[in-house]
Amino acid sequence: MRPRDPVTAPPAQQEVQAKDACLRLLTDRSRSRAELFNKLIDRGYDEAVVNRVLDRLTVVGLVDDAAFAEQWVRSRHVYSGKGKRALATELRTKGVAPELAAVALDQIDGEDERERATELVRRKLRTASLDFPVDGPGGRSSERDKVVRRLVSMLARRGYQQGMAFEVVKAELARAGSDTDDLSAE
């Protein structure tokens, strides 16, 4: 996105306009300080004006990167099924400091992550055909392997570690009645 021409209003008026722009952006969803900073700079506001406005909004509690990171992690984990790795990447792109991101990510433990991965796999398995053909080219194991690869890949794209993803998929296929004895993590 190409930055707009610089705002030419006097500094006091720029501050009012920048504050109003921030408040409009914050009505959609909470945002990190870096997100707001980048949006205002892209709109042509002076960097000094932007920093003053964001400092003021931080003091009154409308801009709080720690609270933003905690809310983002909780929401994206529960509603989008994101794993810790994906969430860490998202927070980094949102400009959240690594130490604040680490604290927010600590609210998800290994068991929470495994439970969410299990829910995602179960949901996918409800619509998947698990009636693998015994005969034919490739036979039973190639079709089953294809389902395993797809499920593990789905979890990997959402930020789950491969080993844990494979264990969850294998357990859920076994629970669904599929033969998983000859599967091994690759």
Side-chain angles (χ1 to χ4, degrees):
M1 182 169 146
R2 186 176 88 62
R4 294 184 186 168
D5 293 331
V7 176
T8 56
Q13 189 176 356
Q14 275 192 47
E15 284 188 35
V16 170
Q17 292 171 349
K19 180 187 70 128
D20 290 345
C22 278
L23 294 176
R24 278 192 303 278
L25 288 166
L26 290 169
T27 59
D28 292 339
R29 65 170 176 84
S30 62
R31 296 176 191 267
S32 69
R33 182 182 176 107
E35 283 182 289
L36 292 169
F37 179 86
N38 291 333
K39 290 276 191 190
L40 294 176
I41 292 297
D42 288 347
R43 291 181 181 186
Y45 290 100
D46 181 65
E47 189 173 329
V49 168
V50 171
N51 281 321
R52 281 194 303 273
V53 167
L54 292 176
D55 288 345
R56 226 175 291 126
L57 291 175
T58 299
V59 167
V60 297
L62 291 174
V63 176
D64 181 347
D65 279 0
F68 167 78
E70 287 178 20
Q71 177 271 328
W72 185 265
V73 165
R74 186 173 38 260
S75 172
R76 300 285 288 166
H77 179 67
V78 170
Y79 299 112
S80 297
K82 298 288 184 170
K84 282 178 115 171
R85 259 192 354 223
L87 292 168
T89 300
E90 288 179 358
L91 290 174
R92 193 171 33 258
T93 62
K94 301 252 175 241
V96 175
E99 59 276 4
L100 296 177
V103 169
L105 290 167
D106 282 345
Q107 64 185 320
I108 300 174
D109 63 19
E111 192 54 38
D112 290 335
E113 205 167 24
R114 181 175 295 280
E115 284 175 23
R116 190 63 178 113
T118 300
E119 290 171 20
L120 293 167
V121 170
R122 284 181 183 164
R123 187 170 41 184
K124 285 288 186 189
L125 286 176
R126 279 188 225 126
T127 60
S129 169
L130 297 180
D131 188 22
F132 305 117
V134 177
D135 297 326
R140 180 183 187 106
S141 67
S142 74
E143 290 298 315
R144 184 191 57 237
D145 290 348
K146 199 181 297 183
V147 169
V148 169
R149 278 193 308 276
R150 285 182 181 152
L151 291 171
V152 170
S153 294
M154 179 264 304
L155 291 175
R157 283 189 305 275
R158 291 176 184 238
Y160 293 91
Q161 293 181 8
Q162 183 180 1
M164 189 264 289
F166 182 79
E167 290 170 13
V168 166
V169 169
K170 185 176 177 182
E172 288 308 304
L173 283 174
R175 186 180 148 288
S178 176
D179 181 17
T180 60
D181 291 340
D182 61 341
L183 292 177
S184 63
E186 296 164 355

